[in-house]
Amino acid sequence: MISRRAFAAYLAGGAAVASALLLPGWWQISGPGAAPPLPRLPLPLGEMSFSMQDHTGAEVSPQGLVGKPSLVFFGYTFCPDVCPTTLSDISTWLSGLGADAARLNAVFITVDPGRDTLPAMAQYMQHFHPAISGWRGSLAETDKAVAGFRASYTLGEGAEGEGADYAVEHTSSVFLFKADGRLAALIDLHEDRAQAVAKIQRVLQR
Amino acid sequence: MKHIPFALALFAAFPAPLAADQQNIIAEQVWSRASMGENRPGVAYMELHNTGSGTRTLTGVETGRAAMAQIHQTSTSASGVSQMAPAGDIDILPGTRIALEPGGLHIMLMQLDRPLAEGEYYHLTLIFKNGDNVEIRVPVLAASARGPGQ
């Protein structure tokens, strides 16, 4: 028989243990120690729905990427800083992969189809690794693509004007998808080159 | 004995600190990317080293090549969205350097007179609060360049 006093002691002890276990959990999950909410992950490529043209004028779709691992990122050709940096980064990753680069899709999708006409895309893509494809769609298709990737973009002030000088805020991470079309990793601006190449190689080895 | 030639070399290479407060900003690793087409903006990057004894405040930039030149800061949010905004005045404390580099601070050249062509040079004036402006010569590298000498 457990005496009433012993039972109360058990109860109190149990409560203390429970709060000792729960408190750090609360602190980390919903308390002040919580990490910022993770951005929502993109849909698998095969479940996205949009159609665009690449910089050579060919019709392209996200389903067409399934079967090979893919690197995809958003930008615009009037972007002076982030986009050429990212395109150059991807160019060096592809060069670093050598012959393996052919086992990968690399796609740059413009979020500024108003200024980024197909000829503009064709001219721009010449400056980077020839394996990178530049995609452009109507505004509606661009919005569908951005939604599928759970990405975002906002045209800056002055975007309504003729030949305007405006900037575009946009998701700048590079999305790395597995051959089955599911997300493998994100590669962020400023990420170390060796680390980026290692992430790509892991996906190629699967 | 070995140290004397080194000291002399240093003296020859960095006479600037001796010249009172004149030109105590040294611009290094200066480069610019070739720009494409008629109205895409250009960009310039560099490191600015304050070798003087007082804080210098960079308030703007000017070049004959662009109707509008501004110092911008790229920032990236926790959700991975990058944006650019004017950087405002930039203090460079004595003995420190600031880097204008891809994905961070950069000089944005809008309304260029003509595209920046790989292999050419242009002049840029760094405007400081004390009126002691610094003229620099900027080499234009390839559109795909990632840093000085690349």
Side-chain angles (χ1 to χ4, degrees):
Chain A
M1 278 286 282
I2 300 173
S3 74
R4 192 168 288 179
R5 194 184 298 160
F7 181 69
Y10 275 123
L11 213 61
V17 167
S19 42
L21 288 174
L22 288 175
L23 185 65
W26 168 81
W27 184 268
Q28 281 165 19
I29 291 162
S30 51
L38 286 174
R40 288 192 302 153
L41 294 182
L43 293 176
L45 288 168
E47 291 173 29
M48 291 186 193
S49 163
F50 61 90
S51 62
M52 294 190 166
Q53 286 183 301
D54 73 11
H55 67 280
T56 70
E59 297 295 323
V60 287
S61 71
Q63 284 74 27
L65 299 175
V66 178
K68 281 183 182 180
S70 300
L71 290 164
V72 184
F73 88 103
F74 292 92
Y76 62 111
T77 77
F78 282 67
C79 166
D81 181 43
V82 167
C83 309
T85 301
T86 306
L87 279 164
S88 300
D89 284 347
I90 294 179
S91 298
T92 65
W93 303 339
L94 293 174
S95 301
L97 290 168
D100 276 349
R103 295 170 48 212
L104 201 66
N105 300 304
V107 179
F108 165 67
I109 301 178
T110 178
V111 286
D112 187 19
R115 287 183 299 186
D116 288 343
T117 58
L118 273 193
M121 292 292 280
Q123 190 201 4
Y124 192 69
M125 299 316 292
Q126 283 174 13
H127 296 277
F128 304 101
H129 195 287
I132 307 174
S133 183
W135 289 15
R136 181 212 179 259
S138 65
L139 268 178
E141 295 301 312
T142 304
D143 287 344
K144 281 157 71 177
V146 165
F149 282 86
R150 312 295 190 219
S152 75
Y153 76 100
T154 312
L155 299 181
E157 246 173 80
E160 305 303 317
E162 206 42 43
D165 228 352
Y166 58 91
V168 186
E169 284 181 38
H170 59 93
T171 300
S172 58
S173 310
V174 178
F175 297 90
L176 173 61
F177 291 92
K178 294 182 269 196
D180 66 6
R182 285 180 304 135
L183 185 78
L186 295 176
I187 304 174
D188 289 320
L189 188 66
H190 298 304
E191 192 156 329
D192 177 68
R193 178 179 181 279
Q195 222 165 38
V197 171
K199 280 184 178 176
I200 298 168
Q201 278 166 338
R202 272 201 298 280
V203 169
L204 282 170
Q205 278 159 13
R206 275 177 203 162
Chain B
M1 285 303 279
K2 257 187 177 169
H3 292 91
I4 291 166
F6 179 65
L8 282 174
L10 264 184
F11 180 79
F14 300 102
L18 298 176
D21 247 12
Q22 291 298 304
Q23 291 295 348
N24 52 18
I25 291 288
I26 298 175
E28 296 164 320
Q29 314 280 323
V30 180
W31 63 289
S32 194
R33 271 198 200 98
S35 69
M36 281 164 273
E38 287 313 302
N39 43 17
R40 282 192 188 78
V43 70
Y45 303 105
M46 65 199 65
E47 273 184 32
L48 297 175
H49 186 188
N50 182 358
T51 59
S53 52
T55 295
R56 298 287 301 270
T57 304
L58 180 63
T59 60
V61 285
E62 251 174 33
T63 172
R65 293 296 305 275
M68 188 155 73
Q70 288 181 339
I71 304 164
H72 280 194
Q73 167 87 56
T74 294
S75 56
T76 303
S77 73
S79 56
V81 176
S82 291
Q83 60 169 314
M84 296 182 295
D89 291 357
I90 298 168
D91 287 335
I92 313 174
L93 303 180
T96 67
R97 53 180 76 225
I98 59 155
L100 283 72
E101 60 193 359
L105 284 170
H106 56 275
I107 291 172
M108 175 116 159
L109 307 172
M110 288 159 282
Q111 299 160 37
L112 290 165
D113 56 352
R114 59 181 189 280
L116 299 175
E118 183 176 352
E120 71 168 337
Y121 290 83
Y122 62 91
H123 289 272
L124 191 75
T125 306
L126 303 172
I127 302 165
F128 286 90
K129 204 170 227 167
N130 68 355
D132 194 4
N133 297 341
V134 177
E135 297 281 335
I136 56 172
R137 190 166 173 260
V138 186
V140 180
L141 309 184
S144 59
R146 302 171 71 253
Q150 287 180 52

